[in-house]
Amino acid sequence: MTQDVHDITATDWQPALHDHGAIVEDLDDIEQCIAIILATPKGSVPHRPDFGSDIWRHLDKPIPDATLKIRRATIDALRTNEPRIIVDAVDVASQDAEQGRLTIRTSWRLAGSPAPRTSEVQL
């Protein structure tokens, strides 16, 4: 994480969501983009109606019934909105069944790279 705009060396960067004043670059930028895409309901961004995911449609359903649909929504959203990566696998785990919270673990790699990465998003 970079702390000053003048220190940015990467082509892809953005302000860090959880560290005021910091900047994320390169792989950290991609990980933050994955979290933003999955946490944003599709249709909620006025001038980008296809941005985000349909995961929210399945959050109130029992995890065993919704798992396949959440995996599909995750893969579709990342393929549509994050062209820098290739999604290899998606795991869905219940975090707190009563509160309807879950963790989505996505295994991915940069397009053109064999090196695997994993991102976790809690919803």
Side-chain angles (χ1 to χ4, degrees), residues 1-122:
M1 234 183 273
T2 303
Q3 292 295 330
D4 187 45
V5 173
H6 302 293
D7 296 332
I8 297 171
T9 58
T11 302
D12 297 320
W13 64 275
Q14 63 182 305
L17 292 179
H18 302 292
D19 188 0
H20 183 69
I23 294 163
V24 292
E25 300 177 83
D26 298 321
L27 294 174
D28 292 333
D29 171 58
I30 292 173
E31 292 209 17
Q32 183 168 293
C33 285
I34 289 171
I36 291 169
I37 292 164
L38 298 183
T40 303
K42 189 184 279 186
S44 65
V45 179
H47 293 287
R48 295 180 69 192
D50 293 329
F51 182 81
S53 74
D54 282 328
I55 292 170
W56 63 274
R57 294 180 185 269
H58 312 291
L59 292 180
D60 63 343
K61 297 179 174 76
I63 292 298
D65 298 338
T67 299
L68 290 176
K69 292 177 182 176
I70 292 171
R71 281 184 184 149
R72 177 84 264 152
T74 299
I75 292 167
D76 289 346
L78 294 177
R79 282 185 179 161
T80 301
N81 296 292
E82 187 47 83
R84 297 176 289 178
I85 68 169
I86 296 168
V87 177
D88 293 321
V90 175
D91 287 325
V92 179
S94 177
Q95 189 78 359
D96 182 351
E98 283 186 21
Q99 296 296 319
R101 296 177 192 209
L102 57 91
T103 299
I104 299 173
R105 185 174 299 113
T106 306
S107 299
W108 57 275
R109 55 195 158 87
L110 287 173
S113 171
R117 304 270 309 172
T118 301
S119 296
E120 280 191 12
V121 176
Q122 294 182 354

